[in-house]
């Protein structure tokens, strides 16, 4: 019962998939970060379904790429993209940490957020259009969706929190942080090994890209914001997602040219 409630809390918070709405309490929030990667499994499953549909019907290549580009947004409801936009506004201000925190809390969308989000989707669409979505690519991208959420959950249980309010603080406070760190660290290692086993050099590049973005996330959060927050977690997820995709595309281009 608690396991089902924990999974429901994770999907209710981090996805747009309809689930029963349990009352949040200490028990079902303790390990919710361990259930967070299951949202990545859902993204991977919808990716596979779209690929199957595109294989059955003569879907134009640009429409196929648009589908792959937008599926993560539809599955998550754009919650991470919202954090990405807010963080882009805050980073573009070049203000001190306190001012950046105020910008994160501002519900309005600034010019830099619009510019960065538009640029993000142009790049994402172009990368999807450049990639042959064969079985290996789909499996690697699916593992990437899971890995980025595994690393994000691990960061919530490990990195310093910027302020004593907000969802990240709520989840971090409720979590059994020692257990969550160990479980998600083990999952991350297994996912990286799976990427390397299935994708070879491309998989290794994707895992490396995710870890580099994680390191960048820690540096930016600590130096410019005083710690992580929900918006910064969304920023990390979107950055990890596009950089893993870019790593896969670049490796495919290099392999084709050799």
């Amino acid at each position: 019962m608690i396991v089902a409630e924990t999974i429901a809390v994770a999907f209710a918070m981090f996805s747009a998939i309809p689930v029963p709405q349990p009352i949040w309490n200490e028990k079902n929030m303790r390990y919710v970060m361990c259930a967070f990667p299951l949202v990545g499994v859902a993204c991977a499953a919808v990716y596979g379904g779209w690929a199957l549909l595109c294989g059955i019907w003569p879907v134009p290549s640009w429409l196929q790429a648009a589908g792959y580009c937008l599926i993560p947004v539809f599955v998550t409801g754009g919650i991470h993209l919202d954090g990405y936009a807010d963080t882009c506004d805050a980073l573009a201000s070049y203000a001190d940490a306190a001012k950046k925190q105020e910008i994160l809390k501002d519900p309005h969308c600034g010019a830099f957020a619009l510019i960065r989000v538009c640029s993000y989707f142009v790049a994402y669409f172009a990368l999807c259009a450049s990639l042959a979505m064969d079985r290996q690519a789909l499996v690697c991208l699916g593992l990437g969706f899971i890995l980025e959420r595994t690393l994000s959950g691990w960061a919530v249980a490990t990195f310093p929190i910027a302020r004593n309010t907000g969802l990240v603080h709520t989840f971090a406070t409720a979590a059994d942080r020692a257990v969550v760190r160990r479980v998600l660290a083990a999952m991350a290692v297994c996912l990286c090994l799976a990427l390397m086993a299935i994708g070879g050099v491309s998989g290794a590049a994707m895992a490396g890209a995710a870890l580099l973005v994680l390191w960048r996330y820690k540096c930016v959060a600590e130096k410019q914001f005083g710690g992580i927050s929900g918006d910064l977690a969304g920023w990390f997820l979107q950055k990890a997602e596009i950089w893993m995709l870019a790593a896969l595309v670049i490796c495919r281009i290099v392999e084709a040219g050799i």
Side-chain angles (χ1 to χ4, degrees), residues 30-31 33-34 153 157 175-185:
R30 186 173 297 165
Y31 304 113
M33 285 294 107
C34 294
D176 185 336
R177 299 180 75 171
V179 172
V180 170
R181 277 197 298 268
R182 288 197 294 269
V183 170
L184 292 181

Side-chain angles (χ1 to χ4, degrees), residues 134-160:
D134 53 30
R135 183 175 297 179
Q136 184 189 57
L138 289 168
V139 172
C140 285
L141 290 173
L143 290 172
F145 288 133
I146 303 169
L147 175 60
E148 67 193 39
R149 286 163 176 80
T150 302
L151 294 176
S152 181
W154 178 84
V156 168
T158 306
F159 294 169

Side-chain angles (χ1 to χ4, degrees), residues 17-28:
I17 298 172
V19 293
Q21 298 293 317
I23 298 173
W24 293 12
N25 56 51
E26 182 181 349
K27 290 183 178 179
N28 61 32

